[in-house]
Amino acid sequence: MSNDTIEMFDASEAETDADWLSILEEIGEEAGYFSPLGDKHSAFFSDLGGVLLVSFETLSGVRQAGGGQMPLGYQIAAPRGWSSLTILAHDETWFRDANLYGYVDRLIDDAFFEDFDRVVFYGAGMGGYGAAAFSVAAPGCTVLALAPQATLDTDVAEWDRRFLRARRFDFNTRFGYAPDMSEGCERVFIVYDPIQQVDAVHAALFKGAHVSRLRARNIGRDPQAELARINVLRPLLDAACDGTLTPQRFYSLWRARRDNPHYLGRLIGRLQTLKRPALLLRALRAANKRVDHPQLKQALAKVEAAQR
């Protein structure tokens, strides 16, 4: 439930990254704190309530996403009266940095996470790796990770050649192998597309009774953007933070894709590559019954004309 009395902060007037970091530091003085962690990461804390959403995000991702150029974790948590802690990577660091490790160590030493009734770690892609890897700092927490990497250590994941520059980082020291680091969590939810084979292999490395691997077929390579596009991301994070997230709840939310023109268009595009006209025709007719979209109508008319 939202709290209309909470004033939402805004950093949209920033023109450069330096401006934005300066504004976030000013906001942190009122909201909780903002802390540079060396020159590669920062932490932004909003202190509001007994639920804590810990999000792992990138500076560029926050600034490009709109929402007043505020971190997604803050945008989700603040209206609900929840606290948020955003770990910001200034570049594609995979959160591998001694300054960040030291910061998390201090949180552990100060029993920071024990002050909250519920703690949720969230991230997507690189951020999903970060969420799972650093969740060891808050035993009993919940992790929601979208298409996370388990590791990019070449001894384990040589088959993942998407992030070759990241191989220079050490994934074997502190907070390294994400599946091991998340063993102490109460629940770990891994959302991935089984068609994206590399993501599926990473997901398979997360094992145990506490792990729920949630198959989101055709969600694509950017599940966070897709879930946001079909208005599922916020209710999914809400469910994680209020303790109601289950596989059943996820799949109930995921049904919203069936009425989303963008999702249906991408699905039709995949079917077009299969060269199966009968299947494509059935899919187009079903899609046009669910949504009114000119491109889907044109595609159906073209396929129907070709089969006459």
Side-chain angles (χ1 to χ4, degrees):
M1 182 177 296
S2 63
N3 186 338
D4 295 333
T5 66
I6 294 174
E7 178 187 359
M8 295 292 291
F9 292 102
D10 188 301
S12 58
E13 65 186 59
E15 296 184 359
T16 67
D17 289 348
D19 289 342
W20 184 79
L21 289 169
S22 179
I23 291 172
L24 210 62
E25 185 171 10
E26 293 176 5
I27 292 173
E29 293 177 358
E30 293 188 54
Y33 66 74
F34 175 84
S35 178
L37 310 175
D39 58 359
K40 298 178 181 178
H41 300 90
S42 302
F44 171 71
F45 176 54
S46 169
D47 187 7
L48 287 174
V51 173
L52 176 67
L53 175 57
V54 185
S55 62
F56 288 74
E57 308 182 41
T58 64
L59 187 155
S60 61
V62 173
R63 297 204 63 211
Q64 294 170 11
Q69 294 193 39
M70 293 299 291
L72 174 64
Y74 171 79
Q75 293 182 52
I76 297 292
R80 277 73 171 172
W82 298 334
S83 299
S84 63
L85 173 63
T86 303
I87 306 299
L88 285 160
H90 298 182
D91 202 348
E92 293 184 351
T93 65
W94 261 264
F95 303 98
R96 309 304 299 155
D97 182 71
N99 292 293
L100 176 56
Y101 307 160
Y103 169 72
V104 176
D105 284 339
R106 292 191 294 276
L107 295 180
I108 295 171
D109 291 342
D110 293 341
F112 171 78
F113 297 106
E114 297 177 17
D115 290 338
F116 298 93
D117 301 324
R118 182 177 295 113
V119 179
V120 175
F121 280 63
Y122 167 77
M126 182 181 86
Y129 164 77
F134 288 92
S135 65
V136 68
C141 71
T142 294
V143 170
L144 173 59
L146 312 182
Q149 294 78 49
T151 179
L152 291 178
D153 174 28
T154 53
D155 287 342
V156 179
E158 186 177 12
W159 34 266
D160 190 344
R161 299 186 58 80
R162 297 173 299 178
F163 314 109
L164 296 180
R165 290 182 59 194
R167 291 184 173 184
R168 68 185 188 275
F169 298 124
D170 183 354
F171 288 87
N172 292 308
T173 52
R174 307 289 315 284
F175 308 104
Y177 185 57
D180 284 354
M181 296 299 99
S182 58
E183 285 183 349
C185 298
E186 181 177 6
R187 295 300 304 269
V188 175
F189 297 95
I190 307 293
V191 179
Y192 71 101
D193 185 344
I195 294 175
Q196 303 295 327
Q197 294 185 351
V198 178
D199 287 339
V201 176
H202 278 294
L205 296 175
F206 291 86
K207 301 175 182 178
H210 64 302
V211 175
S212 294
R213 292 189 292 272
L214 306 175
R215 295 162 58 92
R217 192 175 182 83
N218 289 309
I219 199 172
R221 296 174 180 171
D222 190 349
Q224 178 170 281
E226 189 67 26
L227 290 172
R229 193 175 287 116
I230 63 175
N231 298 316
V232 166
L233 183 60
R234 287 176 182 264
L236 183 61
L237 279 162
D238 282 346
C241 289
D242 65 24
T244 61
L245 182 57
T246 63
Q248 294 76 16
R249 176 61 175 153
F250 170 76
Y251 289 117
S252 176
L253 291 169
W254 178 229
R255 290 192 190 101
R257 73 194 186 280
R258 301 174 182 177
D259 297 309
N260 182 265
H262 177 85
Y263 174 86
L264 292 172
R266 196 155 48 77
L267 179 60
I268 294 301
R270 177 179 288 275
L271 292 176
Q272 287 172 331
T273 66
L274 298 179
K275 308 297 183 182
R276 297 178 60 184
L279 177 60
L280 178 60
L281 179 59
R282 290 200 302 272
L284 278 167
R285 285 174 173 168
N288 276 277
K289 286 181 180 179
R290 302 192 73 93
V291 301
D292 182 9
H293 194 275
Q295 290 182 338
L296 289 174
K297 287 181 179 179
Q298 292 171 10
L300 175 58
K302 183 177 180 180
V303 172
E304 286 181 332
Q307 295 197 9
R308 288 176 187 151

